[in-house]
C-alpha cells in the first residue's frame, strides 16, 4: 500500500475518532436543556464530561492538522470553499470551550443561563454542521478546477446534507445520553438510559434513511460494488446499532456506549471509503475532485509524518484510556462539592 | 476593503487576541508546577493553596488560549488557502506534529490536573501539571518553528509549483525558529513572573494573607529575574539573526535608510518613509547599530533605500514596535532586579514600590505584542520571506464573507477578552482558600 493510501485511511480514522470522542460531549450539551431539571443536574452533566472534553477536542485539531500536512490542497480547498459553515463551527466551539470554564465562576442564575445557552449552541451547532458538511463531501460539492465553490451555504443545505446533519445530531445525542448514564447514578442515570432508549429508534430510522438516500443520490456505493468485502463496514455499523440497544437493555451501559462508538466510527468510515480515492469529490466534474493523487504532500513528508504518528498516537491513546479509567466513577455529590468542579 | 486586507486584519486581530492569553499560560503553568513541587517536597499546605490559587487564574486564561488557537489553525485553510497549498508540505506537518506530540498531552493532563486533586497521589498529581507545563512550551516550539519557516525558509525546494520538503532536519533546526522560540517563551515566563509579583503586591499593599503572598512573590521574583535576563540575551542574538537573514526587517526596525559601515544608532528618531529619511534624528551613537547587529562596529548595515520600494516592510510600525519592545524590556529588567532584592520581605517594601509592581502587570503584555508586531509586520510584504508574497497567499473567496467573519471575531473576541480580564481581576483579588 502506498503512503498516500495509508494517510487517506488515517485521515478517515482520525475524523472517526474525533466524532466518537467529542461526539459524547457534543451530545450531552445538545440534550442538556431538555434533560436537566435543576442546576445540580446540569452540573452533573458538565462534570460528566469535565475531565475529557478538552482532550477530545484535540482530535479535531489533529484531524485538521493532518489534512493540512498530508493533503494540503484538500485542506486549502475544503476550508476556503466551506468558509461560512466552518466559521460558524469555530464560533460555536469557542463559545462551548469557554462555557465550561466560565459558568461556575460567578454565582448568578443569569450568568449560568448565558453559558448554558452557549454550551447548548456550541454543542448542537457543531453536531449539525459537521453532519451537513460531511454529507455534502460524501455526495460531492460543487467545486470547479480552481477549488472555488459554486454556491453558498444554502447549496449545502440540500436534503441529503440535512439528513446527514440530523443523523449526526441524533447519533451524538444518543451517544451522549449513554455516557451520561455511565457517569451518573440514581434518578438521572435511569432517565439518561430511558432517553437513550427513546433516541435509539430515531437513530435507527435516520441510519436507514441516510443509507437509502446515499444509494439514490450519491456514488458512495460504487467502491463497495467493486469490492464487496467492504460491505463489512456496513455490517459492523449495523451490529453496533443493534448491540447498543441489546447492551442497554441488559443494563451494560459502558458496553452499550462502546457499541454506539462503533456505530459512529463505522458510519464515518462508510462515507470515507465510499469517496476513496477522493478526499473532496467535485459534483461538477470528477476531474475537479481533490484526490490522494493530486492533493497529497511529498512522499518524504508523508513518511516523516507516518513515523511521528506511529510513535505518538499509541502514546496518546494509552494516556487517554488511562484518563477515562481514572475518572470512570459516577459523578456524585462529593464530586460536585469538589472545589475545582465545574 | 478587499479580501486580502480583510483577511490580514482578521488574522492579525485573531493572533493579537490569542497572544494575550497564551504567554501567561506558558509561564504560569511552570510557576504553578514549581509551587506544587514545593508542596510535595515539604508537605507545607501553603504551597498547595498557592498552586490552587494561581492555578485557577491559569485555567481561566487557558480556556481562551485554546479556543482562540483553534481558529488560527483553521484560518490558514479558510483565509490563506493559496499559502496552505504552497507550503503545506512543510508548514502543515509542523502544525500536525504540534497537535500530536504536544497539544494532546497538554489538554489531556490539564483535565487530569483539574479533577485529580483527590483521586491521584500527590506525586502523580504534581507530575500532571509538569506535563501540562512542558507540553505547553513544547507546543510553542512547534508553532514557532512553523513561523520560523515563514521568516527564514530552509530545507525546501520549489517544485511542482509549491515548496517541497528537502530536509526535515534543516526545518526543525532552523536557527531563526529556535531563537525566536527561546525569545518568545522566556518573554512569556517573564510576563507570568510579573503577573504573580503584581497580584501579590496588591495583596501585600493591603497587608492581607502576608505569608501566602510573600511566598508567591519570592518564587515569582526569582523566576522573573532569570527570565528577563534570558529574554535580553536571546533578544540580542535574535537581532543578529534578523540582520543576517532579513536585512530589510532590520533596516525597518532601525529606520535605517542608507547602506553604510559604522552605522550609528539614534536615541530618538522619527521615520519619514514618504521621503525615504528620518525627519528627526537625535543622539546618534556612531557604530552602535553595526555593533548590535553584527557584533562588529565596522560592519556594513544595508539601508532601506537599497531595497525596491515594494520589498520594504511598513517602516513606522516596525520601528515603533521595536522601540516599545526594547524600552519595556529594559524597564522590566530593572524592575525584576528590584523585585529580586525585595523578595525576602516584600511586605516591608515601600508602598510606592509595591504599587509600581502592581502597575507593571500590563508592561510585558505590551512588550510581547510589540515583539510579535516586529516579527510579523517586519516580514511584510512577504508571507514566506523572499519566496511568497502575502498578496499571493489569500483565498479566492468573496470579501463579504471575510467582512462578516471579521466583524463576528471582533465582537466575540472583545467580549470574551473583557470577561476574561474581569474574571482574572476578580479571582486575583479573592481570598486564597
Amino acid at each position: 500500500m502506498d503512503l498516500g493510501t495509508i494517510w487517506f485511511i488515517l485521515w478517515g480514522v482520525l475524523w472517526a475518532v474525533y466524532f466518537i470522542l467529542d461526539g459524547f460531549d457534543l451530545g450531552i450539551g445538545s440534550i442538556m436543556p431538555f434533560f436537566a431539571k435543576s442546576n445540580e443536574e446540569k452540573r452533573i452533566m458538565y462534570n460528566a464530561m469535565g475531565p475529557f472534553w478538552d482532550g477530545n477536542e484535540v482530535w479535531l485539531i489533529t484531524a485538521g492538522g493532518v489534512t493540512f500536512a498530508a493533503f494540503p490542497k484538500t485542506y486549502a480547498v475544503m476550508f476556503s470553499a466551506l468558509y461560512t459553515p466552518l466559521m460558524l463551527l469555530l464560533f460555536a466551539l469557542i463559545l462551548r470551550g469557554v462555557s465550561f470554564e466560565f459558568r461556575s465562576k460567578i454565582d448568578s442564575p443569569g450568568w449560568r443561563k448565558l453559558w448554558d445557552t452557549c454550551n447548548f449552541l456550541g454543542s448542537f451547532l457543531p453536531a449539525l454542521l459537521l453532519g451537513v458538511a460531511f454529507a455534502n463531501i460524501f455526495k460531492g460539492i460543487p467545486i470547479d478546477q480552481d477549488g472555488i465553490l459554486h454556491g453558498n451555504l444554502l447549496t449545502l443545505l440540500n436534503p441529503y446534507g440535512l439528513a446527514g446533519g440530523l443523523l449526526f445530531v441524533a447519533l451524538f445525542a444518543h451517544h451522549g445520553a449513554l455516557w451520561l448514564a455511565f457517569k451518573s447514578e440514581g434518578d438521572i442515570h435511569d432517565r439518561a438510559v430511558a432517553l437513550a432508549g427513546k433516541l435509539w429508534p430515531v437513530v435507527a430510522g435516520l441510519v436507514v434513511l441516510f443509507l437509502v438516500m446515499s444509494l439514490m443520490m450519491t456514488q458512495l456505493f460504487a467502491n463497495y460494488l467493486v469490492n464487496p468485502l467492504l460491505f463489512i463496514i456496513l455490517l459492523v455499523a449495523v451490529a453496533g446499532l443493534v448491540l447498543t440497544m441489546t447492551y442497554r437493555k441488559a443494563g451494560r451501559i459502558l458496553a452499550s456506549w462502546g457499541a454506539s462508538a462503533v456505530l459512529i466510527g463505522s458510519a464515518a468510515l462508510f462515507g470515507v471509503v465510499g469517496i476513496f480515492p477522493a478526499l473532496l469529490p467535485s459534483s461538477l466534474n470528477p476531474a475537479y475532485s481533490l484526490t490522494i493523487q493530486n492533493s497529497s504532500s511529498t512522499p518524504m513528508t508523508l513518511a516523516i509524518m507516518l513515523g511521528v504518528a506511529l510513535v505518538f498516537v499509541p502514546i496518546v491513546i494509552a494516556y487517554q484510556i488511562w484518563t477515562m479509567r481514572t475518572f470512570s466513577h459516577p459523578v456524585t455529590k462529593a464530586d460536585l462539592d469538589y472545589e475545582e468542579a465545574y | 476593503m478587499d479580501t486580502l486586507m480583510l483577511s490580514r486584519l482578521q488574522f492579525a486581530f485573531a493572533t493579537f487576541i490569542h497572544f494575550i492569553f497564551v504567554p501567561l499560560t506558558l509561564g504560569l503553568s511552570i510557576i504553578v508546577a514549581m509551587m506544587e513541587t514545593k508542596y510535595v517536597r515539604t508537605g507545607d499546605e501553603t504551597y498547595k493553596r498557592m498552586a490552587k490559587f494561581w492555578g485557577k487564574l491559569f485555567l481561566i486564561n487557558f480556556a481562551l488560549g485554546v479556543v482562540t488557537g483553534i481558529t488560527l489553525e483553521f484560518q490558514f485553510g479558510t483565509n490563506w488557502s493559496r499559502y496552505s497549498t504552497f507550503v503545506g508540505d512543510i508548514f502543515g506537518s509542523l502544525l500536525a506534529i504540534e497537535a500530536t506530540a504536544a497539544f494532546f498531552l497538554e489538554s489531556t493532563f490539564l483535565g487530569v490536573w483539574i479533577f485529580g486533586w483527590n483521586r491521584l497521589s500527590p506525586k502523580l498529581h504534581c507530575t500532571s501539571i509538569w506535563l501540562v507545563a512542558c507540553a505547553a512550551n513544547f507546543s510553542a516550539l512547534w508553532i514557532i518553528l512553523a513561523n520560523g519557516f515563514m521568516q527564514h525558509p530552509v530545507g525546501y525546494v520549489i517544485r511542482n509549483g509549491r515548496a517541497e520538503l528537502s530536509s526535515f532536519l534543516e526545518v526543525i533546526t532552523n536557527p531563526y525558529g529556535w531563537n525566536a522560540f527561546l525569545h518568545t517563551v522566556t518573554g512569556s515566563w517573564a510576563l507570568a513572573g510579573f503577573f504573580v509579583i503584581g497580584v501579590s503586591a496588591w495583596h501585600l499593599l493591603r497587608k492581607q494573607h502576608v505569608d501566602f503572598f510573600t511566598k508567591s512573590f519570592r518564587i515569582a521574583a526569582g523566576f522573573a529575574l532569570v527570565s528577563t535576563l534570558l529574554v535580553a540575551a536571546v533578544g540580542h542574538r535574535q537581532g543578529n539573526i534578523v540582520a543576517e537573514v532579513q536585512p530589510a526587517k532590520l533596516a525597518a526596525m532601525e529606520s535605517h535608510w542608507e547602506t553604510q559601515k559604522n552605522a550609528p544608532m539614534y536615541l530618538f528618531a522619527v521615520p519619514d518613509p514618504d521621503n525615504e529619511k528620518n525627519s528627526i534624528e537625535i543622539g546618534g551613537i556612531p557604530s552602535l547599530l553595526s555593533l548590535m547587529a553584527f557584533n562588529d562596529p565596522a560592519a556594513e548595515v544595508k539601508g532601506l533605500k537599497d531595497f525596491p520600494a515594494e520589498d520594504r516592510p511598513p517602516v513606522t510600525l516596525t520601528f515603533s514596535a521595536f522601540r516599545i519592545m526594547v524600552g519595556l524590556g529594559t524597564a522590566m529588567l530593572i524592575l525584576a532586579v528590584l523585585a529580586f532584592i525585595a523578595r525576602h520581605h516584600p511586605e516591608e517594601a515601600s508602598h510606592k514600590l509595591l504599587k509600581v509592581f502592581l502597575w507593571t502587570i500590563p508592561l510585558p503584555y505590551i512588550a510581547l505584542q510589540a515583539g510579535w508586531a516586529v516579527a510579523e509586520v517586519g516580514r511584510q510584504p512577504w508571507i514566506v520571506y523572499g519566496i511568497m508574497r502575502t498578496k499571493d497567499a489569500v483565498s479566492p473567496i468573496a470579501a463579504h464573507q471575510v467582512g462578516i467573519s471579521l466583524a463576528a471575531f471582533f465582537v466575540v473576541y472583545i467580549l470574551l477578552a473583557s470577561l476574561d480580564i474581569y474574571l482574572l481581576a476578580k479571582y486575583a483579588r479573592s481570598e486564597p482558600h
Side-chain angles (χ1 to χ4, degrees), chain A residues 28-46:
Chain A
I28 292 177
S30 305
I31 60 175
M32 194 182 292
F34 317 104
F35 184 88
K37 290 177 178 165
S38 62
N39 184 42
E40 189 180 291
E41 290 197 359
K42 281 185 186 158
R43 291 193 60 210
I44 289 173
M45 296 176 87
Y46 276 105

Side-chain angles (χ1 to χ4, degrees), chain B residues 352-431:
Chain B
K352 249 186 208 150
L353 186 61
L354 288 175
K355 272 196 181 149
V356 168
F357 286 135
L358 176 61
W359 291 107
T360 301
I361 294 175
L363 299 190
Y365 282 91
I366 301 168
L368 261 78
Q369 294 286 358
W372 165 75
V374 173
E376 301 297 292
V377 176
R379 190 190 61 230
Q380 303 301 326
W382 305 99
I383 192 166
V384 186
Y385 201 76
I387 330 182
M388 184 185 216
R389 285 175 194 273
T390 310
K391 68 178 168 59
D392 300 324
V394 74
S395 295
I397 48 174
H400 73 265
Q401 284 181 304
V402 191
I404 294 168
S405 64
L406 175 60
F409 267 111
F410 196 77
V411 172
V412 172
Y413 274 23
I414 293 288
L415 278 174
L416 289 178
S418 314
L419 282 179
D420 183 81
I421 292 165
Y422 170 75
L423 287 176
L424 277 181
K426 175 181 152 87
Y427 278 90
R429 282 181 296 201
S430 70
E431 187 180 338

Side-chain angles (χ1 to χ4, degrees), chain A residues 61 65 75 83 105 297-298 338, chain B residues 73 89 105 114 117 405 427:
Chain A
I61 299 165
Y75 174 83
Y83 189 91
K105 290 290 177 286
S297 284
T298 55
Y338 178 68
Chain B
E73 176 190 345
D89 200 46
L105 195 65
I114 300 172
W117 280 103
S405 64
Y427 278 90

Side-chain angles (χ1 to χ4, degrees), chain A residues 47 57 61-62 64-65 75-76 79 83-84 86 105 296-298 300-301 304 319-320 327 329 335 338, chain B residues 52 70 73-74 77-79 81 85 89 103-105 108 114-115 117-119 162 164 166 168 401 405 427:
Chain A
N47 287 289
E57 202 171 78
I61 299 165
T62 308
Y75 174 83
F79 291 161
Y83 189 91
T84 307
L86 198 86
K105 290 290 177 286
S296 72
S297 284
T298 55
M300 189 194 268
T301 293
I304 289 167
Y319 63 62
Q320 289 208 334
F327 297 101
H329 54 86
D335 290 298
Y338 178 68
Chain B
K52 285 198 171 195
I70 296 175
E73 176 190 345
F74 287 100
T78 51
N79 296 73
S81 65
T85 308
D89 200 46
F103 198 42
F104 263 127
L105 195 65
T108 309
I114 300 172
F115 289 88
W117 280 103
N118 302 335
R119 300 209 171 253
R162 63 178 181 180
E164 295 192 342
S166 65
F168 188 63
Q401 284 181 304
S405 64
Y427 278 90

Side-chain angles (χ1 to χ4, degrees), chain B residues 198-265:
Chain B
V199 172
S200 301
W202 188 87
H203 287 276
L204 292 173
L205 273 167
R206 281 155 189 75
K207 308 259 181 251
Q208 55 197 22
H209 323 294
V210 171
D211 177 54
F212 184 96
F213 286 104
T214 300
K215 282 177 173 155
S216 301
F217 188 107
R218 193 174 304 157
I219 290 177
F223 190 71
L225 182 63
V226 173
S227 308
T228 34
L229 287 170
L230 286 172
V231 183
V234 177
H236 174 69
R237 177 86 194 105
Q238 189 66 18
N240 296 156
I241 295 174
V242 168
E244 197 181 318
V245 305
Q246 298 185 329
K249 183 191 277 181
L250 179 84
M253 279 156 66
E254 293 293 345
S255 192
H256 176 69
W257 295 96
E258 308 285 345
T259 299
Q260 57 180 297
K261 293 186 175 176
N262 300 95
M265 192 182 273

Side-chain angles (χ1 to χ4, degrees), chain A:
Chain A
M1 198 185 288
D2 68 298
L3 278 166
T5 307
I6 292 173
W7 269 110
F8 181 88
I9 295 168
L10 289 176
W11 175 77
V13 170
L14 275 174
W15 282 109
V17 174
Y18 169 67
F19 295 146
I20 290 170
L21 288 181
D22 216 18
F24 75 77
D25 304 329
L26 299 174
I28 292 177
S30 305
I31 60 175
M32 194 182 292
F34 317 104
F35 184 88
K37 290 177 178 165
S38 62
N39 184 42
E40 189 180 291
E41 290 197 359
K42 281 185 186 158
R43 291 193 60 210
I44 289 173
M45 296 176 87
Y46 276 105
N47 287 289
M49 35 183 174
F52 316 110
W53 73 272
D54 200 1
N56 292 344
E57 202 171 78
V58 181
W59 288 92
L60 172 69
I61 299 165
T62 308
V66 158
T67 315
F68 198 170
F71 305 102
K73 202 165 172 199
T74 297
Y75 174 83
V77 172
M78 185 186 277
F79 291 161
S80 58
L82 302 177
Y83 189 91
T84 307
L86 198 86
M87 282 293 163
L88 273 172
L89 174 71
L90 289 176
F91 281 106
L93 290 174
I94 288 172
L95 292 182
R96 176 180 79 134
V98 288
S99 72
F100 281 95
E101 196 49 55
F102 281 8
R103 182 182 189 274
S104 58
K105 290 290 177 286
I106 292 178
D107 189 17
S108 127
W111 174 263
R112 282 197 294 268
K113 178 119 187 80
L114 170 70
W115 296 112
D116 288 342
T117 310
C118 287
N119 191 278
F120 168 71
L121 288 175
S123 302
F124 172 76
L125 278 179
L128 185 72
L129 289 165
L130 285 165
V132 170
F134 272 82
N136 274 287
I137 290 170
F138 294 161
K139 182 170 78 70
I141 58 173
I143 45 166
D144 64 18
Q145 64 271 41
D146 298 319
I148 293 168
L149 182 76
H150 289 253
N152 52 37
L153 189 58
L154 294 176
T155 322
L156 302 174
L157 296 177
N158 53 67
Y160 187 71
L162 286 171
L166 291 178
L167 175 64
F168 268 47
V169 171
L171 278 172
F172 291 175
H174 172 254
H175 199 48
L178 286 170
W179 184 263
L180 178 62
F182 170 63
K183 284 284 289 174
S184 60
E185 27 181 47
D187 175 52
I188 196 165
H189 167 88
D190 298 341
R191 277 167 46 225
V193 175
L195 178 63
K198 276 186 214 156
L199 287 169
W200 189 86
V202 180
V203 170
L206 285 167
V207 166
V208 172
L209 177 73
F210 192 73
L211 281 177
V212 171
M213 288 175 90
S214 299
L215 195 60
M216 290 163 59
M217 304 166 92
T218 74
Q219 312 294 318
L220 278 184
F221 283 96
N223 282 338
Y224 291 83
L225 295 174
V226 174
N227 192 349
L229 204 61
L230 291 172
F231 275 107
I232 285 179
I233 297 174
L234 269 185
L235 288 180
V236 171
V238 172
L241 182 64
V242 174
L243 281 176
T244 189
M245 177 187 65
T246 31
Y247 282 135
R248 172 171 41 78
K249 286 189 171 162
R252 295 178 60 193
I253 297 303
L254 186 61
S256 175
W257 180 84
S260 163
V262 168
L263 167 63
I264 293 175
S266 42
L269 290 180
F270 158 74
V272 169
V273 167
I275 56 175
F276 176 87
L279 292 99
L280 203 55
S282 167
S283 60
L284 299 180
N285 182 341
Y288 304 158
S289 296
L290 290 166
T291 63
I292 298 175
Q293 185 62 33
N294 69 16
S295 86
S296 72
S297 284
T298 55
M300 189 194 268
T301 293
L302 293 179
I304 289 167
M305 289 288 302
L306 189 60
V308 171
L310 288 177
V311 172
F312 283 101
V313 174
I315 299 176
V316 171
I317 292 172
Y319 63 62
Q320 289 208 334
I321 289 177
W322 174 81
T323 309
M324 290 179 111
R325 287 173 62 119
T326 306
F327 297 101
S328 61
H329 54 86
V331 180
T332 59
K333 176 98 176 52
D335 290 298
L336 295 186
D337 290 342
Y338 178 68
E339 204 187 316
E340 277 77 17
Y342 287 138

Side-chain angles (χ1 to χ4, degrees), chain B residues 81-113:
Chain B
S81 65
R82 292 196 176 105
Y83 166 78
S84 299
T85 308
F86 186 70
V87 298
D89 200 46
I90 299 156
F91 189 87
S93 53
L94 295 171
L95 290 197
I97 293 172
E98 187 264 342
T100 321
F103 198 42
F104 263 127
L105 195 65
E106 183 182 0
S107 298
T108 309
F109 280 93
L110 188 69
V112 171
W113 186 76

